[in-house]
C-alpha cells in the first residue's frame, strides 16, 4: 500500500485498503482467540508498529493529494469565473 501511495495510484490504494482492513481485523481476532508465546507477540507488536508507521506515511501522501486536488478545483473554478466574465464583455 505504501508503494501505491508513493506512486500516487489512488484507485489501487483504495482497493488494497479494503483488504488491509480485513486482514488487520483478522490479526486482531486471532490475538484474542489464541494464547501466544512472548516472542510471537513481540514480533506481532513490531509488525503492528510498522503498519502504523506506514499508515501515517500513506495518510500524509493522501493529505498532499487532497491539497493538490483542492488547488486544482480552485484553479478550475477561477478559470470558469474568468471565462464567464470575459463572455459578458464580449456580448
Amino acid at each position: 500500500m505504501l508503494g501505491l501511495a508513493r506512486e500516487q495510484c489512488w484507485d489501487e490504494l483504495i482497493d488494497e485498503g479494503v483488504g488491509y482492513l480485513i486482514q488487520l481485523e483478522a490479526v486482531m481476532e486471532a490475538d484474542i482467540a489464541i494464547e501466544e508465546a512472548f516472542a510471537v507477540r513481540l514480533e506481532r507488536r513490531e509488525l503492528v508498529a510498522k503498519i502504523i508507521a506506514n499508515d501515517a506515511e500513506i495518510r500524509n501522501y493522501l493529505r498532499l493529494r487532497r491539497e493538490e486536488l483542492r488547488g486544482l478545483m480552485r484553479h478550475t473554478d477561477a478559470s470558469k469565473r474568468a471565462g464567464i466574465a470575459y463572455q459578458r464583455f464580449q456580448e
Side-chain angles (χ1 to χ4, degrees), residues 2-14:
L2 182 55
L4 292 173
R6 287 177 178 158
E7 295 173 11
Q8 300 181 0
C9 298
W10 308 117
D11 293 338
E12 294 88 346
L13 177 62
I14 291 169

Side-chain angles (χ1 to χ4, degrees), residues 25-36 41 44:
E25 184 177 327
V27 167
M28 292 172 64
E29 288 176 359
D31 192 37
I32 293 169
I34 301 171
E35 184 66 31
E36 297 175 342
R41 285 190 301 223
R44 177 171 288 159

Side-chain angles (χ1 to χ4, degrees), residues 1 6 14 17 23 26-27 29 34 43 48 51 54 57 59-60 63 67-69 74-75 80-81 90:
M1 284 180 43
R6 287 177 178 158
I14 291 169
Q23 291 175 356
V27 167
E29 288 176 359
I34 301 171
E43 184 178 315
V48 170
I51 289 170
N54 286 349
E57 188 172 345
R59 287 175 187 269
N60 188 48
R63 182 187 54 77
E67 290 171 5
E68 178 184 351
L69 291 173
R74 271 191 241 122
H75 180 268
K80 183 179 175 182
R81 282 187 271 137
Q90 286 188 336

Side-chain angles (χ1 to χ4, degrees), residues 38-81:
F38 178 75
V40 174
R41 285 190 301 223
L42 182 60
E43 184 178 315
R44 177 171 288 159
R45 190 174 301 144
E46 291 169 357
L47 179 61
V48 170
K50 185 175 181 179
I51 289 170
I52 290 169
N54 286 349
D55 183 63
E57 188 172 345
I58 289 168
R59 287 175 187 269
N60 188 48
Y61 281 110
L62 289 171
R63 182 187 54 77
L64 293 173
R65 176 65 174 162
R66 184 184 66 227
E67 290 171 5
E68 178 184 351
L69 291 173
R70 188 176 290 142
L72 290 172
M73 288 171 47
R74 271 191 241 122
H75 180 268
T76 300
D77 189 44
S79 296
K80 183 179 175 182
R81 282 187 271 137

